[in-house]
Amino acid sequence: MTSTPTRAAELPPSAPHRSAVFVPGALGRRAVTALSFRNIGAVYVWLVIVVLFSVWAPDTFPTIITVKQVLNGNAVAGLVALSVVPPLAARVFDLSVAYTMSLTSVLTARFLVSAGLGPGAAITLAMAAALLIGVVNGIVVVVLRVDSFIATLATGALIQSLITMVTNDSSITGVQLLAKPFASIAQLDAGGITLPVLYLLLAALAIWFLLEHTATGRRLYATGFNADAARLQGVRTDRLRFLTLVTSALLSGFAGIVFASSVGSGSPTAGTPYLLSAYAAAFVGATQLRAGRFNAWGTVLAVLLLGTGITGLGLATSAQWAASLFTGSVLIVALVLTGGRIALPAVLRRRKGIPSNAGAETPTESGVLPATGKET
């Protein structure tokens, strides 16, 4: 049997030089891939939006105040958007997040103003209600096998009826909501950046670590790609789906408390405007950084992109309908571009007579089966 040293001795003298040239080339290709439009297209769109509004409103938009406004004004929206990422990773919809946010907002205000409880007790009871909602959603979806889209929409309607019973569709206000320490939860700032921005970063970091660096995250993605195959491999898919619904309810409930602290009232419709934007950000985010996978940082990027455009329209004193037009247009363009990232190049290659898998990553390199798009 030939020994390893003998084989190494037979290598031509130029072999080390080939290795030295190959490594930088590989790193260069990785860098090009990481910075490609297909990977971080939202970043380039974001830069175009910044340039556009800097030209359109040069006196008001390109300032540090605008940066702070975008961050502070979209922190709660980011929290709600992140709350739907874990369920979506497991292919579960939670449409009750907006109602859960509204409920914790009004319950916290009710406990502080009417019941005379301290901030700690009020927040604890409100979060307990959010936990209960997550458990109920989990039972209905996982145990009773009701489709998650319909089930969470139904529980959302039940939550809305409870909100109406508590508030009579009127906002709850009081000096207790404006006083410290409750007001400090969202209004305390450092250099003009409020605490909700920190909450958003911490939540994104936690979800990113869970999905990308733990076995639980890999099992979540496996459940989302093919639940039956994951179950055959011993993954407890039902337990994971149950826990994602609980996590979603807790995070959206926390967003409701932050919202109540920021505006100084408990609104029965606090979460309503955030439902569509949360799912929009999550789906656009799934086309960024980790294409085809719902991920935390892509979602945050999408939230900031949309928030920058809406803030710019406000500073440019555009028409009221312009914000909705901008949001819808950006979402459609982003999804169309990213949706064609595989189909269009494949069509072009076939027309040129090039095999569709030429230059593609191998399954072991990408972790994705070329034909199915599922993880290996």
Side-chain angles (χ1 to χ4, degrees), residues 18-296:
R18 291 177 182 176
S19 178
V21 173
F22 171 77
V23 172
L27 293 177
R29 287 192 295 272
R30 288 175 180 267
V32 170
T33 301
L35 297 175
S36 66
F37 185 86
R38 296 192 301 174
N39 190 50
I40 55 171
V43 174
Y44 300 116
V45 175
W46 192 9
L47 293 176
V48 170
I49 291 173
V50 170
V51 173
L52 174 64
F53 284 111
S54 296
V55 175
W56 189 358
D59 297 330
T60 56
F61 185 81
T63 64
I64 190 64
I65 296 176
T66 301
V67 174
K68 295 176 182 178
Q69 183 178 348
V70 170
L71 292 175
N72 296 334
N74 292 279
V76 173
L79 288 173
V80 181
L82 287 175
S83 73
V84 304
V85 171
L88 287 174
R91 194 171 290 183
V92 176
F93 284 88
D94 186 359
L95 299 183
S96 67
V97 290
Y99 304 99
T100 304
M101 176 182 171
S102 299
L103 180 63
T104 56
S105 172
V106 299
L107 284 181
T108 304
R110 182 67 179 267
F111 291 142
L112 284 172
V113 176
S114 301
L117 298 179
I123 292 172
T124 300
L125 291 175
M127 290 302 294
L131 174 63
L132 179 61
I133 292 171
V135 171
V136 170
N137 282 337
I139 292 174
V140 175
V141 173
V142 177
V143 179
L144 301 181
R145 302 293 179 183
V146 180
D147 181 81
S148 62
F149 194 96
I150 303 300
T152 56
L153 190 62
T155 55
L158 296 176
I159 296 168
Q160 185 59 52
S161 66
L162 178 60
I163 293 172
T164 302
M165 182 177 66
V166 171
T167 65
N168 198 25
D169 285 334
S170 300
S171 296
I172 300 175
T173 59
V175 294
Q176 296 89 340
L177 297 171
L178 303 174
K180 296 179 179 180
F182 182 74
S184 300
I185 294 175
Q187 299 180 22
L188 189 65
D189 69 278
I193 304 298
T194 57
L195 279 180
V197 177
L198 176 62
Y199 305 150
L200 174 63
L201 293 177
L202 291 177
L205 184 64
I207 294 174
W208 166 77
F209 184 81
L210 171 69
L211 294 179
E212 302 293 339
H213 296 281
T214 67
T216 300
R218 291 190 291 273
R219 290 167 185 147
L220 274 175
Y221 281 133
T223 300
F225 281 121
N226 192 325
D228 293 333
R231 193 179 300 111
L232 291 175
Q233 293 296 321
V235 177
R236 297 182 177 181
T237 57
D238 287 345
R239 176 183 293 184
L240 289 175
R241 295 169 69 205
F242 192 102
L243 291 177
T244 59
L245 288 169
V246 172
T247 302
S248 176
L250 289 174
L251 190 51
S252 60
F254 177 69
I257 295 172
V258 174
F259 180 86
S261 174
S262 64
V263 301
S265 68
S267 172
T269 59
T272 304
Y274 293 101
L275 181 59
L276 180 59
S277 62
Y279 274 92
F283 274 93
V284 172
T287 67
Q288 304 297 308
L289 304 178
R290 299 284 286 167
R293 298 185 181 188
F294 294 98
N295 63 90

Side-chain angles (χ1 to χ4, degrees), residues 253-337:
F254 177 69
I257 295 172
V258 174
F259 180 86
S261 174
S262 64
V263 301
S265 68
S267 172
T269 59
T272 304
Y274 293 101
L275 181 59
L276 180 59
S277 62
Y279 274 92
F283 274 93
V284 172
T287 67
Q288 304 297 308
L289 304 178
R290 299 284 286 167
R293 298 185 181 188
F294 294 98
N295 63 90
W297 297 119
T299 302
V300 172
L301 176 61
V303 168
L304 295 179
L305 185 153
L306 296 173
T308 300
I310 294 173
T311 301
L313 289 171
L315 294 175
T317 61
S318 58
Q320 293 183 351
W321 47 263
S324 299
L325 177 64
F326 167 80
T327 301
S329 300
V330 169
L331 293 179
I332 291 174
V333 171
L335 293 176
V336 167
L337 289 177

Side-chain angles (χ1 to χ4, degrees), residues 11-17:
L11 292 174
S14 59
H17 298 287

